[in-house]
Structures are given as structure tokens and as C-alpha cells.
Amino acid sequence: QVQLVESGGGSVQPGGSLRLSCVASGKIFSINYMGWFRQAPGKQRERIAGVIGHDSPTYDDSVEGRFTLSTDYAKNTMYLQMDSLKPEDTAVYYCNAKIWTDSSLAGGNFWGQGTQVTVSS
């Protein structure tokens, strides 16, 4: 139906940068919301950034000023530019989207498989 695929994770030293991508594919009529979540070992999954349509993105305090969410809806793609990375940013990062699959506004809430980000010296 709808698939979300993240890419761009990896290992980086503190202070470094990474750029994550999330591509949505399948039966897409309209994307209503896109967001990034992360889950560190032993912790609950938390929302770190999100955007509704063409509104300005919102961020959790823990990443405000360091991470930047952007979208290219023509490509059904969302990005997360992560700068000034810290060891506490280490987690599996997940893409989330609320997508309408047809003009009746049927659809659902979809998740990607996750991509690992490790920040360590």
C-alpha cells in the first residue's frame, strides 16, 4: 500500500553531521503529515521533528537549533539534516507519515523500518 524507506544513517564523531532521507512510495494521494522519531536503547520512541503540509516544522527542545527538517513533496521525500551531533543523539531514527491513499481521504499512519545513527568518539 504505502512504504516509507529511510536512508543516511551511520556512525559519526561528536560535532559531526548526517543527513537522513525518507522516501514514501506506493498508493499516495496526499501526504498530510511527516515526522521523525527516534528510539535510544532502553528508552521509548520519541518524536523529534514534524511538519504538517507546508507549515513550518516543529522540533523537540533536544534537537532545536541543531536539526533541520525539510520536505520535497514532488518527490514524496523528507529530509533531516543533523548538525552538531552529540552522543545522546545515538538512536534508531524512524520516519513517520500520515498519508491519504485516495480522494475519499482514506489512508493511515505509516512507519519506516528505521536507520541507526551512532555518535561516538
Side-chain angles (χ1 to χ4, degrees), residues 2-6 22-24 34 95-97 99 110-113:
V2 173
Q3 298 82 39
L4 300 179
V5 178
E6 303 101 334
C22 171
V23 180
M34 295 192 86
C95 172
N96 171 246
I99 294 174
F110 301 95
W111 292 90
Q113 81 287 352

Side-chain angles (χ1 to χ4, degrees), residues 7-30:
S7 61
S11 296
V12 64
Q13 293 186 337
S17 298
L18 285 173
R19 189 191 195 207
L20 305 183
S21 299
C22 171
V23 180
S25 63
K27 189 179 180 184
I28 299 171
F29 176 75
S30 179

Side-chain angles (χ1 to χ4, degrees), residues 2-121:
V2 173
Q3 298 82 39
L4 300 179
V5 178
E6 303 101 334
S7 61
S11 296
V12 64
Q13 293 186 337
S17 298
L18 285 173
R19 189 191 195 207
L20 305 183
S21 299
C22 171
V23 180
S25 63
K27 189 179 180 184
I28 299 171
F29 176 75
S30 179
I31 297 176
N32 185 40
Y33 167 88
M34 295 192 86
W36 289 99
F37 288 68
R38 69 184 180 187
Q39 187 167 18
K43 295 188 176 181
Q44 290 189 334
R45 189 175 298 188
E46 62 175 353
R47 175 191 172 280
I48 57 170
V51 64
I52 297 174
H54 295 279
D55 290 349
S56 296
T58 59
Y59 302 91
D60 185 79
D61 288 346
S62 62
V63 305
E64 179 83 53
R66 300 187 298 121
F67 291 9
T68 303
L69 184 156
S70 60
T71 57
D72 184 346
Y73 287 119
K75 297 180 180 180
N76 293 331
T77 300
M78 173 179 62
Y79 305 95
L80 186 68
Q81 177 66 41
M82 305 186 295
D83 299 318
S84 302
L85 282 160
K86 304 175 181 180
E88 51 263 43
D89 294 318
T90 296
V92 178
Y93 284 69
Y94 296 90
C95 172
N96 171 246
K98 293 178 174 55
I99 294 174
W100 293 323
T101 55
D102 59 46
S103 59
S104 71
L105 305 187
N109 188 38
F110 301 95
W111 292 90
Q113 81 287 352
T115 185
Q116 177 70 45
V117 170
T118 302
V119 185
S120 174
S121 55

